[in-house]
Amino acid sequence: MKQQGHLEKIIFTLIFGISSFFIWQLKLFDPQVFFPGLKRLAQFCSYLFPPNFDILPSVLWAMWETIQIALAGTILGFLMSLPLAFLGAKTFFGPTVTIIARGFIGAIRTIPSILYGVVFVVAFGLGPQAGAWGVAFYTLGYLAKIYYEAFEAVDQEVMEAVRSTGCSKLQLLRFAVMPETANTIISQVLFMFEYNIRSSTIMGFVGAGGIGYYMLGYVQMLQYQNLLTTLIVTFFVVMMIDFLSFRLRSMIVVAIPKP
Amino acid sequence: MNHKNHANCDHVSHFIDGDHKRSSVLKATNLWFKYEGQKSLLQGVNLEIRQNLVTMILGRSGSGKTTLLKLLGNLITPQKGKVEWLAADANRSAYSMPIAYIPQSLGLVRNMSVLDNTLTGALGYTPTAFTLIKQFRRETLSDAEEILKTLGIGDKKHRKVCTLSGGERQRVAIARALMLNPNLILADEFVSQLDPVTTMEILDMVRQLAQSGISFLVTTHDVELVQKYADRVVIMKEGHILCDHATSGMVVDEMLGCIK
């Protein structure tokens, strides 16, 4: 016990020491940088007020486009993730198929959503199409991994019982694996939609449509009062969708008592 | 195995056995099985399952009962030996499977309705494309409803399995097995978690089904259940079959002597 307490102290001291070194090295609290920075931040905040609500119609339209990008991207990504998760689950296929599928999923996951935005802007040009495809591919990488792990965790006795009926792999997926993992499938796709509303905002920064495109424009043209209007609209919409998504999850995802 | 146990089992195996006159539905010869890196769970098991009988495999935990059942149900493959299906193929229709398997925890999909769980028994003989959109033949649907009604849970067909009692779930598992129109149902300790009254009801149902032409092979560690409900008993210990005999005339002490 005494030895374990000693080890904990060493670990905490080490973590504290390394963090302090990084903070010092990055000059986070360097008085010559920090205090003038705070002053400029306060000045910037003062430029934000009052918000300019004259631009509300165009901002609301851009926000609507952001919601469209997030929803279409989430649905597309979700639909593409299911067959890929099926191929990646060891429950259904041998190592050759699962290794290839998992390698593909891993490669998709390596690329951040903003880079997908850039790639699809190059492919389809500026606009919401690029944003929706970018969101879809990011969603695909995230959901496919969560889903194949959930598929593999299905109770073996359920799998054996359904498999013993002489069913095909697709029937096993439809009648055992998907109903058993329905809660994970639904809750994760709703969570992903919440996340994608925020990531769709960023997509606009690279010209992939939505409200982010306006935000970047207002910053570049120093129109900070317009920027605040877009931030207020984004804040309310994100809060509203988080709330709706939470309510939807509570309604759909029923707690299943263990036998 | 000690000397005393040997003596008891020899005594049991000398009882008069009239079941040999019945035809066999399944024959397992010299089955050997082990999971990779583990010791053999089954060592040269020979077994013959006879028609219209309730056969119970009796043994302690780890004796190899479940492994034997999975081998007979073709869920795992033996390293050595073979399982032969002996029922006449002429009697089998396109809408049936020879063997149904019920695992220990029943293997029901808790999030699906009673009817959908029952219909999973028909997956093997329904084209995949139709089942993916939950379309079954009209006859299959009416068969499922009829079976549920016969088993006394027809009024609960739309309820989710997770809302049912233990006994009702047992009936759903039997209904799913019956949808395969099997000659043999393999059931792994499937009454071990039920209260005595429900156990009695379920095993009475099993006996009725056996009389109607379905053979049952049930694993258990409850000697009294064997004596009351089984026509034959197969006693297993450490991967071997010590005794395979009719239960009539056997007493509890003799069976206990074998499995100890």
Side-chain angles (χ1 to χ4, degrees):
Chain A
M1 274 308 262
K2 200 179 169 186
Q3 208 172 11
Q4 198 185 352
H6 191 61
L7 190 72
E8 276 175 13
K9 267 184 198 166
I10 292 173
I11 290 169
F12 278 121
T13 313
L14 257 173
I15 292 171
F16 183 75
I18 291 169
S19 315
S20 305
F21 174 70
F22 287 166
I23 288 168
W24 171 79
Q25 202 180 33
L26 294 171
K27 295 179 181 173
L28 290 187
F29 293 104
D30 181 351
Q32 286 182 339
V33 181
F34 185 69
F35 292 111
L38 276 186
K39 199 178 157 190
R40 279 194 292 272
L41 193 65
Q43 206 173 15
F44 172 76
C45 286
S46 71
Y47 293 152
L48 290 170
F49 291 94
N52 176 17
F53 288 112
D54 294 340
I55 57 155
L56 204 56
S58 55
V59 169
L60 282 176
W61 176 249
M63 193 66 229
W64 175 244
E65 198 174 70
T66 300
I67 295 170
Q68 284 180 313
I69 291 170
L71 188 60
T74 307
I75 298 293
L76 262 177
F78 166 68
L79 292 176
M80 291 191 292
S81 72
L82 284 176
L84 210 52
F86 175 59
L87 293 171
K90 288 175 186 163
T91 318
F92 300 106
F93 295 99
T96 316
V97 177
T98 54
I99 287 172
I100 293 170
R102 287 176 183 212
F104 184 58
I105 294 166
I108 289 171
R109 285 169 62 81
T110 318
I111 301 168
S113 60
I114 189 97
L115 195 58
Y116 277 121
V118 174
V119 169
F120 287 110
V121 162
V122 172
F124 301 121
L126 294 171
Q129 293 90 348
W133 279 111
V135 167
F137 267 77
Y138 185 77
T139 306
L140 162 66
Y142 176 87
L143 289 183
K145 185 174 191 298
I146 298 274
Y147 288 168
Y148 76 64
E149 282 173 358
F151 289 175
E152 284 176 2
V154 171
D155 185 351
Q156 277 310 301
E157 293 219 328
V158 175
M159 299 293 282
E160 279 175 356
V162 179
R163 195 178 277 144
S164 72
T165 63
C167 67
S168 65
K169 282 176 182 168
L170 276 175
Q171 286 173 325
L172 189 65
L173 177 75
R174 173 70 183 81
F175 282 87
V177 175
M178 284 188 62
E180 280 286 291
T181 54
N183 280 3
T184 308
I185 291 174
I186 295 167
S187 64
Q188 287 301 324
V189 79
L190 286 172
F191 170 79
M192 207 59 214
F193 176 59
E194 282 174 39
Y195 176 85
N196 282 343
I197 287 283
R198 282 180 278 267
S199 72
S200 303
T201 309
I202 305 292
M203 283 292 179
F205 281 47
V206 292
I211 202 161
Y213 185 68
Y214 282 72
M215 282 183 189
L216 188 68
Y218 293 142
V219 170
Q220 285 170 339
M221 290 184 287
L222 309 179
Q223 293 174 345
Y224 297 130
Q225 292 172 341
N226 291 355
L227 177 67
L228 182 60
T229 313
T230 58
L231 289 175
I232 290 169
V233 168
T234 308
F235 172 76
F236 277 110
V237 169
V238 167
M239 290 298 287
M240 199 174 69
I241 284 176
D242 277 5
F243 174 74
L244 285 176
S245 170
F246 172 75
R247 289 300 300 265
L248 204 62
R249 257 186 294 177
S250 315
M251 268 165 58
I252 297 171
V253 180
V254 188
I256 304 171
K258 287 272 176 196
Chain B
M1 194 190 332
N2 61 33
H3 183 72
K4 194 181 164 195
N5 285 344
H6 260 306
N8 278 340
C9 297
D10 286 346
H11 175 68
V12 168
S13 62
H14 283 102
F15 274 97
I16 297 161
D17 186 349
D19 292 333
H20 68 278
K21 288 173 190 164
R22 292 176 187 269
S23 59
S24 297
V25 287
L26 190 84
K27 190 178 175 187
T29 317
N30 192 28
L31 290 183
W32 285 77
F33 183 83
K34 67 170 190 169
Y35 288 106
E36 216 175 297
Q38 290 178 13
K39 66 169 191 170
S40 285
L41 293 169
L42 291 186
Q43 300 166 31
V45 167
N46 295 300
L47 182 68
E48 223 171 310
I49 307 296
R50 293 179 179 128
Q51 217 165 21
N52 299 10
L53 291 183
V54 176
T55 307
M56 288 195 179
I57 304 179
L58 182 68
R60 295 170 70 167
S61 301
S63 58
K65 306 187 296 287
T66 301
T67 308
L68 177 59
L69 229 57
K70 285 183 179 177
L71 281 169
L72 299 180
N74 203 22
L75 290 166
I76 49 176
T77 316
Q79 272 89 35
K80 223 164 100 180
K82 60 176 179 178
V83 179
E84 288 170 278
W85 178 246
L86 303 173
D89 285 339
N91 296 336
R92 308 217 53 75
S93 77
Y95 303 112
S96 65
M97 305 280 283
I99 301 174
Y101 173 71
I102 304 175
Q104 188 170 1
S105 67
L106 307 178
L108 296 171
V109 183
R110 293 168 293 144
N111 211 7
M112 278 195 331
S113 72
V114 168
L115 183 62
D116 285 345
N117 266 286
T118 307
L119 285 169
T120 57
L123 290 178
Y125 54 82
T126 310
T128 301
F130 291 108
T131 56
L132 293 183
I133 48 167
K134 267 195 186 176
Q135 289 301 309
F136 289 86
R137 289 164 57 244
R138 200 172 295 158
E139 293 85 350
T140 307
L141 264 174
S142 60
D143 282 353
E145 285 176 353
E146 193 57 41
I147 288 171
L148 289 173
K149 212 185 282 177
T150 312
L151 297 180
I153 45 171
D155 56 332
K156 296 188 168 87
K157 64 180 178 183
H158 295 305
R159 276 185 50 187
K160 280 192 177 179
V161 161
C162 59
T163 65
L164 300 180
S165 69
E168 287 166 341
R169 286 179 199 180
Q170 225 77 20
R171 288 164 203 262
V172 180
I174 295 173
R176 180 182 59 196
L178 292 178
M179 280 304 288
L180 275 77
N181 300 312
N183 289 92
L184 172 65
I185 293 180
L186 308 170
D188 189 9
E189 303 216 16
F190 82 143
V191 288
S192 59
Q193 288 166 6
L194 296 180
D195 62 83
V197 178
T198 316
T199 300
M200 216 166 68
E201 283 174 13
I202 296 292
L203 289 176
D204 280 339
M205 187 181 291
V206 164
R207 287 218 59 84
Q208 280 173 23
L209 289 166
Q211 280 164 16
S212 72
I214 299 168
S215 310
F216 274 84
L217 182 61
V218 182
T219 63
T220 183
H221 47 75
D222 190 330
V223 178
E224 283 172 16
L225 284 186
V226 174
Q227 209 192 25
K228 207 167 171 190
Y229 293 99
D231 298 302
R232 288 189 71 81
V233 61
V234 174
I235 299 178
M236 284 191 78
K237 189 174 181 180
E238 293 166 4
H240 296 278
I241 288 183
L242 300 184
C243 154
D244 176 2
H245 211 277
T247 47
S248 56
M250 283 181 78
V251 290
V252 169
D253 285 349
E254 284 169 331
M255 294 188 213
L256 278 174
C258 275
I259 61 170
K260 262 182 193 166

